Amino acid sequence: MGVLQLLKSQFLCHLMICYVFLVSGLIINLLQLCTLPLWLVSKQLARRINIRLAYCVSSQMVAALEWWSGTECTLYTDPKSYPLYGKENAIVVLNHSFEIDFLCGWTFCDRFGVLGSSKALAKKELAYVPIIGWMWYFLEIVFCKRKWEEDRRTVAQSLQNLRDYPENYWFLLYCEGTRFTPKKHQVSMQVAESKGLPKLKYHLLPRTKGFWVTVQNLRGTAAAVYDSTLNFRNNESPTLLGILNGKKYHADLYVRRIPLEMIPEDEAECAAWLHKLYQEKDSFQEHYTQTGCFPGPTVSPPRRPWSLINWLFWCCLLLYPLGLLLAQLFSSGSMLTILASVALCSAASLGVRWMIGQTEIDRSSNYGNKEVPLNKH
Ligand SMILES: CC/C=C\C/C=C\C/C=C\C/C=C\C/C=C\C/C=C\CCC(=O)SCCNC(=O)CCNC(=O)[C@H](O)C(C)(C)COP(=O)(O)OP(=O)(O)OC[C@H]1O[C@@H](n2cnc3c(N)ncnc32)[C@H](O)[C@@H]1OP(=O)(O)O
Ligand SMILES: CCCCCCCCCCCCCCCCCC(=O)OC[C@@H](O)COP(=O)(O)O
């Protein structure tokens, strides 16, 4: 193990990274709060400011992936579609099987210049995660309770609000609705069987209502659906803790651009279209398992320096005063102050550990775990 790699695995380094993320994130949340009165005067200006503020937070995680861990990302896509990426609004359909799939998504967003503005249909629980969840509120991320009766109206309304968004965005949909586990796969394949649908080997059965409502409400605003299938080389299952430890992964993303006009308007036809799409995605994953790559030409869109520059800026701004504070603390010799500071640091690192826990599949929700009575279908 080289010196740099040894350094990256040190707990002290992780503490400093988390400290910078936590303090800068809370400062950004506070600044976002200050933009509230501006919404009343100029909604579009408030949105543009929030896009840039959000970039300061999410790009830190992108920098950790790209520059700290050195993870590489290869894009498999049609060269004719490539120039359009980042130049139009799009709905992204991505498989939900990895703990850092959202982060790989963010990396591609950054490389095509839409990181600050990008959105998702996210479960409501994520809105309460400090920093990221609070930041999403100002970005107009669409939250759902995963209870269709309650979601149908609120989700449609939130999507309508995005129709006059001032900058290009990608709207991410994990149609499976939850992360892949063997148990959830088994349950969802029972549902597939009861609906007479072919079984999927690598995906859970997609939930179709969120996709339909998104396509319908963004018609005329989004130009295309980007069907995206992600996998990692060497059968790896990357984690956020792995990234913090500086572990390098290699992500492969296969993207097909499908013009929105090609998607049926009728709900049942749209659902059938999505099921067919997932059958195709399953065959791409099978191809990847057999050959170690996706079909078609590849390109590696270069990482941009902005995420690193932003990260270094926050490190300089926040680590210097921390150093001064620590020096003062120890020179004061007050045991009580030292103990209080240690307690505060421990609480903060537990908080960050809890946030990282939100990404861990072992702590995944029970959604999609329950056996569905077969006669329901
Ligand atoms: C060039 C580069 C291109 C791309 C780069 C890639 C990516 C970058 C893009 C953007 C990045 C931007 C941001 C990313 C950042 C962060 C993202 C982070 C978080 C988001 C993650 C989440 O929170 S995922 C969870 C929330 N989202 C969803 O759930 C979406 C999918 N769900 C739906 O659409 C649902 O329909 C619903 C949520 C709208 C409603 O849920 P409900 O449970 O009420 O669903 P349904 O009505 O659908 O359920 C009943 C129907 O489902 C059938 N059923 C029952 N059991 C199952 C089962 N186990 N599996 C499947 N289906 C089941 C049941 O039979 C009913 O069927 P019907 O026929 O009656 O519909
Ligand atoms: C600079 C680097 C700093 C790193 C340290 C700080 C880490 C803070 C991490 C906060 C991450 C919180 C955002 C998580 C987004 C996770 C998206 C996701 O994968 O959600 C799961 C849902 O889709 C489905 O949930 P389940 O039903 O599977 O349950």
Side-chain angles (χ1 to χ4, degrees), residues 75 85 92 94 96 102 105-106 108-109 112 118-123 126 136 144 146-148 151 170-178 184 187-188 191 195 205-211 226 228 253 255 367-368 372 377:
L75 182 63
Y85 298 152
V92 177
L94 182 64
H96 207 5
F102 78 96
W106 270 354
F108 282 100
C109 288
F112 290 98
S118 279
K119 328 233 163 276
L121 177 56
K123 60 176 183 177
L126 291 174
W136 280 351
C144 64
R146 295 189 285 191
K147 292 185 183 120
W148 180 239
D151 289 335
W170 291 350
F171 189 92
L172 175 65
L173 261 175
Y174 292 116
C175 294
E176 300 100 307
T178 188
K184 290 181 183 184
V187 170
S188 82
V191 178
K195 290 185 171 187
L205 188 69
R207 311 262 178 170
T208 57
K209 292 194 173 81
F211 178 73
Y226 296 170
S228 309
L253 184 74
V255 180
Y367 182 74
V372 182
H377 305 288

Side-chain angles (χ1 to χ4, degrees), residues 39-313:
W39 286 80
L40 303 174
V41 186
S42 170
K43 186 170 151 188
Q44 300 300 44
L45 179 62
R47 281 168 153 178
R48 285 182 196 276
I49 292 173
N50 273 286
I51 288 171
R52 269 131 206 106
L53 290 174
Y55 183 82
C56 293
V57 176
S58 33
S59 72
Q60 286 187 45
M61 293 185 67
V62 169
L65 181 91
E66 293 182 341
W67 298 92
W68 181 259
S69 85
T71 292
E72 285 181 38
C73 302
T74 301
L75 182 63
Y76 292 73
T77 199
D78 169 15
K80 282 204 222 92
S81 304
Y82 190 87
L84 296 169
Y85 298 152
K87 309 274 188 319
E88 60 186 9
N89 293 336
I91 299 167
V92 177
V93 172
L94 182 64
N95 55 310
H96 207 5
S97 334
F98 301 100
E99 293 190 359
I100 60 157
D101 49 22
F102 78 96
L103 187 50
C104 285
W106 270 354
T107 301
F108 282 100
C109 288
D110 192 29
R111 293 176 192 208
F112 290 98
V114 290
L115 177 59
S117 54
S118 279
K119 328 233 163 276
L121 177 56
K123 60 176 183 177
K124 184 79 189 157
E125 293 85 332
L126 291 174
Y128 308 115
V129 174
I131 301 171
I132 301 265
W134 299 345
M135 161 187 107
W136 280 351
Y137 173 79
F138 293 94
L139 272 188
E140 299 166 78
I141 292 280
V142 179
F143 290 106
C144 64
K145 294 187 176 165
R146 295 189 285 191
K147 292 185 183 120
W148 180 239
E149 285 318 312
E150 293 178 48
D151 289 335
R152 64 186 322 152
R153 210 175 44 81
T154 53
V155 169
Q157 185 54 58
S158 311
L159 287 163
Q160 280 295 320
N161 293 343
L162 297 179
R163 291 189 69 88
D164 64 344
Y165 208 71
E167 295 191 16
N168 288 334
Y169 59 84
W170 291 350
F171 189 92
L172 175 65
L173 261 175
Y174 292 116
C175 294
E176 300 100 307
T178 188
R179 285 163 292 185
F180 188 100
T181 67
K183 168 79 180 156
K184 290 181 183 184
H185 182 239
Q186 183 211 330
V187 170
S188 82
M189 285 310 101
Q190 281 173 4
V191 178
E193 199 177 356
S194 70
K195 290 185 171 187
L197 291 164
K199 293 211 172 156
L200 303 171
K201 191 168 164 190
Y202 301 96
H203 297 87
L204 303 180
L205 188 69
R207 311 262 178 170
T208 57
K209 292 194 173 81
F211 178 73
W212 176 71
V213 81
T214 305
V215 169
Q216 285 307 90
N217 282 282
L218 294 186
R219 231 177 246 286
T221 304
V225 166
Y226 296 170
D227 167 36
S228 309
T229 310
L230 177 71
N231 217 325
F232 287 87
R233 296 211 182 151
N234 309 318
N235 228 354
E236 300 240 49
S237 297
T239 63
L240 205 47
L241 283 179
I243 299 291
L244 262 185
N245 273 299
K247 186 165 168 25
K248 177 177 178 159
Y249 302 104
H250 196 133
D252 285 319
L253 184 74
Y254 180 41
V255 180
R256 292 186 303 166
R257 182 185 181 278
I258 306 166
L260 212 75
E261 307 82 75
M262 289 179 67
I263 297 158
E265 292 197 23
D266 173 72
E267 184 175 353
E269 284 176 30
C270 182
W273 186 91
L274 188 69
H275 283 304
K276 188 165 165 285
L277 187 87
Y278 266 75
Q279 286 149 26
E280 289 168 5
K281 288 169 88 67
D282 222 48
S283 69
F284 302 146
Q285 290 288 28
E286 181 63 25
H287 187 281
Y288 194 91
T289 309
Q290 300 292 335
T291 63
C293 61
F294 288 117
T298 65
V299 51
S300 289
R303 56 184 184 181
R304 303 194 314 162
W306 307 116
S307 61
L308 182 65
I309 292 170
N310 170 68
W311 203 20
L312 291 177
F313 164 77

